[in-house]
Amino acid sequence: MVDLHCHIIPGIDDGAKDIEESLKMLRDAEDDGLREVIATPHFMRSRFEVPYEQVVEKVKKLNETCQEENINIKIYPGQEIYLNRNTLDDYEKGVLGGLNDSNYYLFEMNLMKFDKGIPDILYELSLHGITPIIAHPERYRYIIEDIERINRLIHEGCLFQLNVGSIDGVFGKKAKKCAEELLNRGVYDFVGSDGHGIETRKAILRKTIVEQKKKNMEKMLYLAENNRDFLKGEFKPTKKKLITTKGKLFSMFYGKGI
Ligand SMILES: [Fe+2]
């Protein structure tokens, strides 16, 4: 099993504090059945600014430590990039990178407020051949309030990654409900632990997936297969449908704009 989103590199962001915590997270992940993990430290100006090149070096070192410690997991480089008006500038500076050095970049956004400039930024990024994967859309307040708002991101060709913790209720009832709705509507492409440590946000996937009711479990297993195909270089994005909600007057383009 492959985890596509995890803060496993020690001392680089708000994930693993030190190598001991990284190793404990990796041992938990191994026990859970994970064999491959993409390390996605935050990249956020003035908070976490480790360039992709350095992430690659740190991943190499962590893989060496895993071998020494007999942990049977391979780690790949990535970033979780805070999407905002600085993103294009950072991209041009060469400090950003995709998951396992691909053109698929993992982005997070402001949890509370949608920046209206984002669709234009996504369009510019697409001109550079970048396919955005939006991390945990079920956690954004504006999407929780009206899931049709995700249409604006679907329209820009975004893919979406579910946090297992959202399904577990770690981020509250509203995020859980939103995650289930987006899952049922086939919006997600990938699943991730978004693991940050050894307590509530662990670096594990399988436990949550197998605890789900049959229908949810099948859908989440499909996402886990996508994770695997992604690392094999065989993943092909499917075309998404825009979301309409029952009983609402559907506007011709994106539903209610963000
Ligand atoms: Fe994350």
Side-chain angles (χ1 to χ4, degrees):
M1 204 171 236
V2 177
D3 187 1
L4 211 85
H5 180 169
C6 190
H7 301 264
I8 197 79
I9 300 177
I12 196 174
D13 62 0
D14 59 346
K17 288 187 285 296
D18 48 33
I19 187 65
E20 283 71 31
E21 191 168 28
S22 290
L23 293 175
K24 175 77 173 79
M25 286 169 78
L26 284 160
R27 287 196 179 97
D28 287 347
E30 188 182 16
D31 288 347
D32 186 60
L34 282 158
R35 292 294 174 266
E36 292 168 299
V37 171
I38 305 184
T40 53
H42 292 286
F43 186 94
M44 186 187 288
R45 271 204 200 176
S46 71
R47 270 197 84 190
F48 309 114
E49 294 195 26
V50 177
Y52 191 78
E53 218 172 59
Q54 283 183 34
V55 174
V56 172
E57 282 169 25
K58 287 173 190 293
V59 163
K60 190 169 172 267
K61 202 163 167 230
L62 193 54
N63 273 319
E64 286 165 6
T65 311
C66 269
Q67 280 200 333
E68 287 159 18
E69 297 285 329
N70 290 320
I71 297 171
N72 185 22
I73 289 189
K74 183 158 186 214
I75 304 149
Y76 299 82
Q79 280 174 321
E80 182 182 17
I81 302 157
Y82 189 79
L83 186 63
N84 65 10
R85 284 151 207 252
N86 298 321
T87 303
L88 284 166
D89 189 36
D90 290 333
Y91 174 79
E92 273 153 23
K93 281 184 188 156
V95 293
L96 305 182
L99 300 182
N100 192 25
D101 215 9
S102 70
N103 286 330
Y104 292 86
Y105 284 47
L106 183 68
F107 291 107
E108 63 176 332
M109 303 186 297
N110 188 300
L111 288 172
M112 305 305 280
K113 198 171 180 304
F114 185 76
D115 178 341
K116 287 193 164 52
I118 278 179
D120 287 344
I121 297 162
L122 291 170
Y123 174 73
E124 290 288 329
L125 289 168
S126 77
L127 299 180
H128 292 285
I130 292 170
T131 301
I133 302 172
I134 304 294
H136 44 67
E138 70 281 356
R139 293 191 57 206
Y140 302 120
R141 191 176 71 176
Y142 34 91
I143 292 175
I144 289 173
E145 283 172 351
D146 183 350
I147 62 161
E148 280 188 18
R149 288 174 169 155
I150 204 167
N151 289 340
R152 202 63 207 272
L153 300 167
I154 294 174
H155 183 76
E156 295 301 332
C158 291
L159 305 180
F160 300 93
Q161 173 256 308
L162 165 70
N163 269 16
V164 280
S166 302
I167 292 283
D168 272 342
V170 170
F171 305 104
K173 283 184 188 161
K174 288 180 181 172
K176 178 179 167 69
K177 192 169 168 255
C178 185
E180 285 171 347
E181 176 125 33
L182 292 173
L183 187 66
N184 284 328
R185 288 172 178 270
V187 170
Y188 292 114
D189 300 277
F190 303 107
V191 61
S193 72
D194 198 1
H196 276 69
I198 50 176
E199 301 298 333
T200 49
R201 296 173 74 182
K202 289 182 169 191
I204 60 173
L205 287 181
R206 187 186 299 273
K207 187 175 174 292
T208 298
I209 294 173
V210 298
E211 280 171 0
Q212 295 306 302
K213 285 185 195 149
K214 194 168 179 287
K215 209 171 136 204
N216 271 358
M217 190 170 84
E218 280 168 7
K219 286 184 173 158
M220 289 173 78
L221 283 170
Y222 169 76
L223 304 181
E225 281 172 18
N226 279 347
N227 285 12
R228 181 200 60 202
D229 290 349
F230 177 81
L231 268 189
K232 282 175 154 178
E234 291 172 2
F235 170 75
K236 287 188 186 69
T238 50
K239 205 167 160 44
K240 294 187 196 311
K241 286 183 193 152
L242 297 181
I243 288 183
T244 57
T245 47
K246 219 174 164 185
K248 282 185 70 173
L249 188 63
F250 177 57
S251 78
M252 273 179 69
F253 298 105
Y254 316 125
K256 193 170 170 183
I258 339 190

